[in-house]
Each structure stands twice: as structure tokens, then as C-alpha cells.
């Protein structure tokens, strides 16, 4: 994974304007959030893949972190998700670990410059990732639309 991230960051050098306008650290964070692989993770007793749940929470934490940094109004999808996890059969220890990871992600975003994060393009990308994450969560629970 690390080699893949390094290649991704190196290949992004072709779009120099983007790299100059968005800190490289955030680009790598967003790349990690978008680089979903089919990973066989630990299954809860409810049949929920822990690795996938962590990826979903990461996308929601990015959205929440951006909303806090930019003082944007918006749904608190992360809190809703964490409450749904509580009722899903995921153990308390795993939920606490996911919550800690989410806080870490939000803290990383809070250190970035708002002028680079609070752009329509960043919010659009986040919105797309959140919609995909929510769809994946619904599929994991057997909810289809």
C-alpha cells in the first residue's frame, strides 16, 4: 500500500497546479480514503466486515472534519453512523477504535489551511465519497434502494 501511495503522489506531479493549491499531506489522506481494496477483514457476529466499516467511517470523518474546519452546515453523518454501529452487533472495543481513528482523521484535517480545504471542489469530492460510503453501509446491512 505504501508503495502504491508513493506512486500515486509521484504521478500527481503531472498536475502541478493541483499540488500547489492543496497540501500534499491532505492529498495523500484523501488518496488513502479513495484507495479501497477488496480486503477480507474481520467479520462481526452480525456478518459485518470490520475493514469496510473502518473505510466508511474514514470517509465520514473526512466530511465531518471539513465541515468543522470550514464552519459549514451539514448533516453529521459520522455521528449517525456511529449510533447505527452501536445497534449493528459490532463490539464496543471495535466501535471505540473506529471512533478514535475518526477523531484522528478530523484532527489531521483541522491542521490544514481552510483556503485549501474549504473549496467547492473539495466539498464535491467529499460528498461523492460519503454517498458511496452510505450506499456500501446500506448494502452491508441488507438495505437496498
Amino acid at each position: 500500500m505504501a508503495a502504491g501511495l508513493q506512486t500515486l503522489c509521484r504521478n500527481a506531479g503531472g498536475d502541478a497546479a493541483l499540488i500547489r493549491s492543496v497540501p500534499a499531506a491532505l492529498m495523500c489522506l484523501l488518496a488513502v480514503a479513495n484507495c479501497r481494496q477488496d480486503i477480507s477483514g474481520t467479520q462481526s457476529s452480525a456478518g459485518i466486515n470490520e475493514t469496510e466499516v473502518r473505510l466508511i467511517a474514514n470517509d465520514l470523518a473526512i466530511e465531518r472534519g471539513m465541515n468543522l474546519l470550514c464552519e459549514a452546515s451539514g448533516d453529521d453523518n459520522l455521528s449517525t453512523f456511529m449510533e447505527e454501529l452501536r445497534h449493528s452487533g459490532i463490539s464496543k472495543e471495535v466501535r471505540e477504535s473506529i471512533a478514535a481513528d475518526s477523531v484522528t482523521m478530523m484532527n489531521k484535517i483541522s491542521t490544514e489551511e481552510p483556503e485549501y480545504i474549504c473549496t467547492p471542489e473539495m466539498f464535491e469530492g467529499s460528498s461523492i465519497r460519503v454517498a458511496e460510503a452510505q450506499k456500501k453501509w446500506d448494502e452491508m446491512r441488507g438495505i437496498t434502494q
Side-chain angles (χ1 to χ4, degrees):
M1 180 74 169
L5 274 178
Q6 290 171 349
T7 302
L8 177 64
C9 290
R10 249 193 328 271
N11 288 342
D15 191 358
L18 178 63
I19 295 301
R20 279 192 295 269
S21 67
V22 179
L26 183 62
M27 289 296 294
C28 288
L29 286 175
L30 294 174
V32 169
N34 284 325
C35 293
R36 295 181 178 215
Q37 297 178 355
D38 228 2
I39 302 171
S40 60
T42 306
Q43 298 282 334
S44 74
S45 59
I48 296 175
N49 183 309
E50 181 184 326
T51 303
E52 287 295 328
V53 168
R54 288 181 182 280
L55 291 171
I56 291 167
N58 188 67
D59 287 338
L60 301 177
I62 289 171
E63 175 197 45
R64 182 73 179 134
M66 288 177 61
N67 285 341
L68 291 171
L69 177 69
C70 305
E71 298 178 1
S73 61
D75 294 335
D76 185 358
N77 293 308
L78 180 60
S79 293
T80 302
F81 176 70
M82 293 305 293
E83 181 63 23
E84 289 172 354
L85 275 184
R86 193 169 71 81
H87 299 288
S88 70
I90 299 283
S91 73
K92 180 179 179 181
E93 294 79 19
V94 171
R95 289 191 324 266
E96 288 174 351
S97 173
I98 291 170
D101 291 347
S102 296
V103 169
T104 299
M105 177 57 73
M106 290 185 294
N107 286 339
K108 287 178 183 178
I109 291 171
S110 74
T111 64
E112 298 295 337
E113 292 294 327
E115 62 200 39
Y116 299 121
I117 305 304
C118 304
T119 66
E121 296 82 10
M122 293 291 279
F123 276 100
E124 182 180 348
S126 175
S127 177
I128 291 168
R129 286 189 307 278
V130 165
E132 290 171 355
Q134 289 174 324
K135 180 180 178 189
K136 180 69 175 175
W137 176 234
D138 286 347
E139 289 171 357
M140 290 172 74
R141 295 181 298 159
I143 300 171
T144 56
Q145 297 177 355

